[in-house]
């Protein structure tokens, strides 16, 4: 009796596990989201989107902003009220301007009385307005700017716009705060449409989409915790990219898992057992690829630019939360829903995959017949567009940073036209109080300086407001800023133009440091995963070529077709990190299958072509989803997001349909077992490939 009872108990445990484990996982996720939801909702409140918040802590302009915060009243909000009439201002226009600026002065504590500056042609009048009333509170700054705009109104042919650094920062804050909803809704819609087309099921597409939404909420909560606990800088840009990665990368992992699960359901009766087999089959590749992506992104921690350094852990959190959700919650939901989730294309137990010749079989055939010719043509197709990178427009200026024109940009454009040879925004100098007199004299004697005004003092520092003779962000003003930094020992020079210069310097430094770090870290991980040196070098070289081609295509599109007048200084670095990390991600999926086929005894050519046929469909679907999610950024009103979305979307498509399908496969065929050198697979003897075409497999 005892001997009979023991097998019965042994059989009951797997059955209990099948019933209990999926429900337990679901319950844990419900509890996790209940805890994470309130924290996720707070993420928008900790975003910092001022230009100075993106800069390194050591930058000269950052020091200016920090000292200004400690001065009486804190950092000043600098505005310019711009009154303009095409035919020339009338006496009534000037009277109205004086009355409105007086009303602003009565309603707010200004640091100085506004005085008008008229353009030479008589069409424009500007009133600089400065106030420390809002202090360091972003909401108070926004309210102050809105109140000034409510007072400064024109009509009857008179245009009145409020510009200046304070208005520009406020408009940027509003744009970034408004991104969350539209970005999320558009991303969800794009992913939903693609999943419906891929799965051709009225229910299945909804499951990974819901899981991605859960992962996004979890990642927002985790990032909020990082900000509170470790002071990680959260910007509107990094939050947007994290959401894109959660839905893009998460859906990619879902496509791979669901494809393998569908395959296992034809061989295994119970959904739970089929899911276990699917996780064992594709889980290691998914975990390895996501880990590689996260490691590449974390290299941004070495960046000097605060926004880039914060982007690394935030993006990595998005990828890892997507991985966690897609390897736990998604399998649990699919098991609980059973085979019916695939309706109407339900995989029947014991059925055979439909035999058909796929697009990737045809691609593999051409790569297998003439691998060297395909490699040469592919190299030209990647190399030629890369030359377009020389056509990228210069560094993006503040007035060109929006894809649409808010009030502050219209004001800046009006000022640039009406005052072509004059600065319309001050350069801020913070100098030790005991040397303020000397600094004032030196600043006035500096070439390119039109006027210097002494400002507030406090904490041992004195603020000087310097007006340059050249217009903002021009080569002349930049030379003036550099001269002030050289001549004024112990002082700090800041302001909008100085911040832009510091950002460019930091980006150039980060490109030199982070790029080699990403390449080395990704290469080492690939060597450990693939146990080869040649294959990792091939994959890394391929993604670097894709990055160059994508930037080159951007150079052919940004200014000639889209009318963009500058390139975001952070674009080369961020696009490199994302394209290398995500491109290697797909390379792991393909080469993992090539290795698997080789270990099973297939000859090198057969292994490469079989891997392409069996993974090509899934990788293509995943690439389309990821490219589409990054393309969502092109609909956003910030040029930096548009450019990043374009370059990464183009790069992912090139990587998916050119590099993975043709170049990597052709290289595998051409190199044969040498691609696994110096690993054991490079030395194992095999029978040579015959001329026969390997059996055709169904694409996922």
């Amino acid at each position: 009796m005892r001997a009979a009872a023991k097998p019965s108990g042994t059989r009951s445990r797997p059955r209990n596990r099948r019933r209990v484990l999926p429900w337990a996982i679901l319950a844990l996720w419900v509890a996790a989201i209940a805890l994470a939801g309130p924290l996720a909702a707070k993420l928008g409140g900790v975003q910092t989107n001022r230009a100075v918040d993106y800069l390194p802590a050591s930058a000269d302009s950052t020091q200016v902003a920090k000292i200004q915060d400690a001065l009486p009243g804190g950092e000043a909000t600098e505005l310019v009220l711009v009154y303009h009439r095409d035919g020339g201002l009338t006496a009534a226009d000037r009277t109205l301007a004086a009355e409105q600026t007086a009303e602003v002065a009565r309603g707010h504590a200004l640091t100085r009385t506004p005085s008008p500056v008229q353009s030479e042609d008589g069409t424009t009048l500007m009133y600089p307005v400065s106030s420390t009333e809002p202090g360091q509170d972003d909401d108070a700054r926004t309210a102050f700017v809105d109140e000034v705009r409510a007072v400064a109104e024109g009509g009857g042919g008179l245009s009145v716009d409020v510009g200046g650094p304070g208005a520009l920062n406020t408009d940027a804050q509003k744009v970034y705060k408004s991104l969350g909803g539209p970005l999320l809704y558009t991303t969800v819609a794009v992913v939903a449409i693609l999943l419906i087309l891929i799965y051709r099921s009225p229910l299945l597409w909804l499951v990974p989409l819901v899981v991605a939404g859960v992962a996004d909420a979890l990642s927002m909560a985790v990032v909020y915790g990082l900000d509170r606990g470790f002071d990680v800088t959260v910007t509107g840009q990094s939050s947007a990219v994290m959401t894109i990665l959660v839905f893009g990368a998460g859906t990619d992992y879902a496509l791979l898992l669901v494809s393998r699960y569908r395959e296992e359901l034809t061989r295994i009766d119970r959904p739970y057992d089929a899911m276990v087999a699917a996780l064992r089959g594709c889980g290691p590749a998914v975990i390895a690829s996501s880990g590689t992506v996260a490691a590449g992104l974390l290299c941004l921690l070495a960046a000097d630019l605060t926004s880039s350094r914060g982007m690394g852990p935030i993006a990595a959190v998005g990828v890892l939360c997507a991985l966690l959700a897609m390897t736990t919650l998604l399998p649990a939901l699919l098991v609980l829903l059973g085979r019916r989730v695939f309706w109407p294309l339900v995989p029947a137990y014991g059925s055979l995959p439909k035999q058909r010749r796929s697009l990737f079989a045809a691609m593999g055939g051409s790569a297998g017949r003439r691998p060297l010719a395909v490699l040469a043509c592919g190299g030209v197709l990647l190399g030629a567009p890369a030359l377009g990178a020389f056509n990228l427009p210069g560094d993006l200026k503040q007035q060109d940073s929006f894809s649409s024109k808010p009030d502050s940009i219209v004001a800046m454009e009006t000022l640039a036209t009406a005052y072509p040879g004059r600065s319309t925004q001050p350069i801020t100098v913070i100098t030790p109080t005991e040397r303020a007199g000397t600094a004032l004299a030196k600043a006035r004697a500096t070439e390119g300086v039109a006027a210097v005004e002494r400002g507030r003092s406090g904490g041992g520092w004195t603020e000087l407001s310097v007006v340059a003779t050249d217009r903002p962000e021009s080569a002349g003003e930049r030379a003036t800023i550099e001269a002030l930094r050289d001549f004024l020992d112990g002082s700090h020079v800041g302001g909008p133009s100085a911040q832009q210069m510091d950002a460019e310097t930091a980006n150039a430094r980060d490109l030199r440091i982070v790029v080699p770090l990403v390449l080395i870290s990704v290469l080492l991980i690939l060597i450990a995963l693939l146990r080869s040196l040649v294959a990792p070098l091939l994959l890394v070289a391929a993604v670097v070529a894709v990055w160059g081609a994508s930037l080159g295509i951007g150079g052919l599109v940004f200014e000639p077709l889209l009318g963009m007048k500058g390139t975001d200084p952070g674009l080369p670095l961020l696009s490199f990190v994302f394209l290398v990390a995500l491109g290697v991600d797909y390379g792991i999926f393909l080469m993992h299958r090539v290795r698997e086929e080789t270990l099973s005894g297939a000859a090198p050519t057969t292994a490469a072509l079989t891997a392409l046929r069996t993974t090509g469909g899934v990788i293509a679907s995943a690439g389309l989803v990821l490219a589409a999610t990054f393309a969502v950024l092109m609909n956003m009103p910030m040029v930096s997001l548009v450019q990043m979305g374009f370059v990464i979307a183009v790069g992912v498509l090139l990587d998916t349909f050119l590099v993975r399908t043709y170049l990597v496969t052709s290289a595998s065929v051409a190199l044969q077992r040498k691609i696994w050198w110096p690993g054991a697979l490079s030395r194992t003897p095999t029978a040579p490939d015959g001329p026969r075409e390997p059996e055709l497999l169904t694409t996922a």
Side-chain angles (χ1 to χ4, degrees):
M1 293 295 292
R2 291 179 180 175
K6 186 174 181 180
S8 175
T10 302
R11 288 194 300 271
S12 68
R13 283 195 292 271
R15 286 199 295 269
N16 290 336
R17 189 183 300 114
R18 295 188 191 104
R19 291 194 298 267
V20 173
L21 187 57
W23 286 109
I25 293 174
L26 181 59
L28 286 173
W29 272 100
V30 170
I33 292 303
L35 294 173
L39 299 178
K42 297 180 180 180
L43 183 62
V46 300
Q47 287 185 11
T48 55
N49 292 305
R50 294 184 304 165
V52 71
D53 295 326
Y54 282 58
L55 297 175
S58 59
D60 212 30
S61 50
T62 306
Q63 297 302 313
V64 169
K66 287 181 178 179
I67 296 172
Q68 281 183 315
D69 289 341
L71 291 176
E75 182 183 4
T77 301
E78 304 280 352
L79 304 178
V80 180
L81 278 61
V82 183
Y83 295 83
H84 175 80
R85 186 184 290 274
D86 287 337
L89 294 169
T90 65
D93 295 337
R94 294 185 179 88
T95 300
L96 178 65
E99 291 174 350
Q100 290 182 350
T101 52
E103 183 179 349
V104 170
R106 286 193 301 269
H108 302 279
L110 304 183
T111 58
R112 54 184 177 270
T113 302
S115 57
V117 180
Q118 181 172 295
S119 64
E120 291 183 2
D121 60 7
T123 62
T124 309
L125 200 64
M126 71 171 179
Y127 279 84
V129 173
S130 176
S131 175
T132 58
E133 183 181 285
Q136 301 177 35
D137 185 85
D138 288 337
D139 293 335
R141 288 193 185 102
T142 300
F144 170 66
V145 173
D146 289 342
E147 290 169 11
V148 172
R149 283 173 170 166
V151 172
E153 293 183 347
L158 175 69
S159 65
V160 183
D161 299 299
V162 179
L168 192 67
N169 283 331
T170 294
D171 288 338
Q173 289 272 5
K174 289 181 177 179
V175 167
Y176 279 117
K177 286 183 178 180
S178 69
L179 287 181
L183 179 71
L184 179 61
Y185 305 146
T186 308
T187 302
V188 168
V190 168
V191 174
I193 292 171
L194 289 173
L195 287 178
I196 291 171
L197 294 175
I198 291 168
Y199 287 140
R200 291 167 289 172
S201 168
L203 177 60
L204 180 58
W205 66 272
L206 189 58
V207 181
L209 197 60
V210 169
V211 174
V214 170
D216 188 42
L218 178 62
S219 64
M220 292 171 68
V222 173
V223 169
Y224 176 78
L226 290 177
D227 175 83
R228 297 293 86 182
F230 300 95
D231 199 28
V232 173
T233 300
V234 182
T235 65
Q237 184 185 55
S238 60
S239 297
V241 169
M242 182 184 71
T243 294
I244 291 294
L245 278 176
V246 168
F247 279 88
T251 304
D252 284 1
Y253 303 148
L255 287 168
L256 290 162
L257 178 62
V258 172
S259 173
R260 191 61 176 259
Y261 177 52
R262 185 199 294 268
E263 181 182 338
E264 297 297 340
L265 283 173
T266 63
R267 296 195 290 263
I268 301 174
D269 184 23
R270 296 179 181 273
Y272 178 92
D273 297 330
M275 180 57 72
V276 171
L279 286 171
R280 287 174 178 168
C282 69
V286 170
I287 293 172
S289 61
S290 60
T292 305
V293 172
L297 293 172
L298 287 174
C299 290
L300 282 171
L301 286 170
D304 197 25
L305 204 65
T306 302
S307 57
S308 297
R309 189 166 63 250
M311 176 81 77
I314 291 172
V317 164
V319 170
L320 295 178
C321 285
L323 171 70
L324 180 63
M326 293 303 172
T327 53
T328 56
L329 180 58
L330 178 62
L333 290 175
L334 290 175
V335 169
L336 292 174
L337 291 170
R339 295 174 183 270
R340 59 185 176 273
V341 75
F342 289 94
W343 186 87
L345 304 175
V346 180
Y349 172 57
S351 63
L352 295 176
K354 182 180 179 181
Q355 300 294 315
R356 60 187 175 90
R357 185 172 180 82
S358 70
L359 170 65
F360 295 96
M363 290 180 172
S366 62
R369 287 189 296 271
R370 289 178 292 275
L372 294 179
V374 171
L375 274 175
C377 292
V380 172
L381 289 175
L382 282 180
L387 298 175
F390 294 104
N391 196 48
L392 283 169
D395 289 323
L396 190 67
K397 296 180 179 179
Q398 287 181 323
Q399 67 191 59
D400 302 320
S401 58
F402 296 84
S403 54
S404 57
K405 292 183 180 179
D407 196 34
S408 57
I409 298 300
V410 175
M412 291 179 69
E413 291 180 345
T414 302
L415 291 173
T417 302
Y419 305 87
R422 179 187 176 92
S423 176
T424 54
Q425 64 183 19
I427 301 167
T428 303
V429 175
I430 296 292
T431 189
T433 301
E434 67 270 14
R435 285 189 261 167
T438 303
L440 185 66
K442 284 187 175 181
R444 285 173 175 165
T446 301
E447 184 178 355
V449 172
V452 183
E453 183 178 321
R454 184 166 180 160
R456 299 166 293 165
S457 294
W461 295 95
T462 295
E463 180 183 65
L464 304 179
S465 181
V466 179
V467 177
T469 57
D470 296 284
R471 58 186 176 83
E473 298 185 73
S474 64
E477 190 199 35
R478 288 175 174 242
T480 301
I481 292 172
E482 291 173 353
L484 288 170
R485 286 177 169 173
D486 290 338
F487 296 157
L488 303 180
D489 295 333
S491 301
H492 302 288
V493 180
S497 297
Q499 292 168 4
Q500 187 77 3
M501 293 170 61
D502 290 340
E504 293 167 9
T505 300
N507 272 302
R509 176 264 178 198
D510 291 346
L511 198 63
R512 295 192 302 269
I513 299 299
V514 177
V515 165
L517 189 60
V518 171
L519 290 175
I520 292 171
S521 61
V522 169
L523 185 62
L524 291 176
I525 293 172
L526 287 176
I527 291 172
L529 289 174
L530 299 177
R531 299 170 192 173
S532 163
L533 182 59
V534 175
L537 285 172
L538 170 66
L539 294 178
V540 170
V543 293
V544 171
V546 165
W547 171 67
S550 303
L551 276 183
I553 293 173
L556 300 175
V557 170
F558 289 160
E559 189 171 16
L561 298 182
L562 301 182
M564 296 177 178
K565 298 179 181 179
T567 304
D568 178 37
L571 178 65
L573 175 64
L574 294 180
S575 62
F576 177 86
V577 173
F578 283 109
L579 283 177
V580 168
L582 296 171
V584 167
D585 194 25
Y586 293 147
I588 290 174
F589 295 150
L590 180 64
M591 294 306 295
H592 181 270
R593 190 57 183 260
V594 175
R595 181 178 177 82
E596 184 180 337
E597 294 293 330
T598 305
L599 287 171
S600 68
T605 299
T606 303
L609 300 186
T610 302
L612 177 61
R613 281 191 295 272
T614 53
T615 65
V618 178
I619 291 178
S621 300
L624 283 173
V625 170
L626 190 61
T629 52
F630 270 101
V632 169
L633 292 175
M634 296 175 62
N635 195 41
M636 299 298 107
M638 299 297 293
V639 170
S640 60
L641 293 178
V642 173
Q643 292 180 342
M644 181 185 294
F646 178 87
V647 170
I648 296 179
V650 168
V652 169
L653 291 176
L654 285 174
D655 193 81
T656 302
F657 293 101
L658 176 60
V659 173
R660 299 293 150 239
T661 52
Y662 280 116
L663 300 190
V664 173
T665 302
S666 298
S668 298
V669 173
L671 293 172
Q672 296 288 295
R673 289 193 168 271
K674 293 177 183 177
I675 199 169
W676 302 113
W677 185 88
L681 283 179
S682 66
R683 299 187 297 273
T684 304
T686 61
D689 275 342
R692 71 175 182 86
E693 187 75 11
E695 66 275 14
L696 301 178
L697 299 178
T698 309
T699 57

